[in-house]
Amino acid sequence: MALTDEQVNLLLEDEEFGRYTQEYNDYKITYRDFKVKMDEVYKRRGIKNESKPINHQERIKRVEKLFAKGYIDKDRYENRLNRIKQDIKDESSNSEEKKQVGIEINGCVFANNGDIDLDDFLDKFIEFIEENGWHFGGGTNHVDEDGNYIK
């Protein structure tokens, strides 16, 4: 979905948008970090953003296509390729240096009135996880109010 002129103006007025863009262009943050920060700006400005981060191979294909069609010149093409290469390098070194931190969930969810269908809950839960660019690993069980498993 393309942004409207009004949405573009909102983003251009946003100080964090400008700062994050500059940090990314100055190689201070990675592509993935940039996308997360931009999603926060979009959400704060009430702009629905359906784009998801793409892999680096796809990014390279897109830059090559822009160059082949004459939308960007050789210098900009080379700058973008170098930026992608740096992102690849940064992400590979970051994954070796630090472990990912996540959230462990241990609890039960009940409705104020009626029962919760496990499949409905899981559909909504996974939708919520994916909308935020996260992933979930684990299991679920249907339980009664005493915590006993329902088969």
Side-chain angles (χ1 to χ4, degrees):
M1 175 181 96
L3 296 175
T4 66
D5 290 341
E6 181 181 326
Q7 291 170 324
V8 170
N9 289 337
L10 280 174
L11 292 174
L12 292 175
E13 293 170 1
D14 193 290
E15 290 179 21
E16 287 185 339
F17 176 86
R19 187 174 75 239
Y20 297 147
T21 301
Q22 192 61 49
E23 287 176 357
Y24 175 71
N25 290 332
D26 290 343
Y27 295 79
K28 293 180 180 175
I29 59 175
T30 67
Y31 170 73
R32 303 274 183 223
D33 291 338
F34 175 69
K35 290 295 285 181
V36 168
K37 290 176 183 286
M38 295 312 296
D39 286 346
E40 292 169 3
V41 171
Y42 280 22
K43 186 180 271 185
R44 189 178 67 251
R45 290 294 185 161
I47 300 171
K48 185 169 177 129
N49 180 19
E50 296 180 10
S51 70
K52 304 286 185 212
I54 58 174
N55 65 43
H56 299 305
Q57 186 175 2
E58 180 62 28
R59 291 175 66 204
I60 291 170
K61 285 180 188 176
R62 289 183 182 187
V63 170
E64 289 173 344
K65 189 175 182 180
L66 290 172
F67 181 62
K69 291 188 174 195
Y71 293 125
I72 58 174
D73 63 19
K74 186 175 181 173
D75 286 340
R76 195 160 182 198
Y77 168 76
E78 289 175 358
N79 285 340
R80 287 189 177 186
L81 282 182
N82 287 335
R83 184 63 181 109
I84 294 168
K85 289 176 187 176
Q86 185 64 43
D87 284 339
I88 294 168
K89 182 179 173 186
D90 289 347
E91 287 182 12
S92 66
S93 66
N94 281 346
S95 65
E96 294 169 5
E97 293 173 9
K98 66 178 183 179
K99 292 185 178 185
Q100 189 174 21
V101 175
I103 307 296
E104 179 179 344
I105 300 172
N106 184 6
C108 299
V109 177
F110 293 96
N112 287 337
N113 53 0
D115 294 331
I116 300 175
D117 180 74
L118 180 61
D119 290 332
D120 287 342
F121 173 81
L122 290 175
D123 288 344
K124 290 176 182 173
F125 179 70
I126 296 301
E127 181 180 324
F128 168 74
I129 296 294
E130 290 175 348
E131 281 177 0
N132 287 284
W134 304 334
H135 57 271
F136 175 76
T140 58
N141 294 298
H142 221 176
V143 296
D144 64 20
E145 62 188 37
D146 295 323
N148 300 316
Y149 294 154
I150 299 172
K151 294 185 182 192

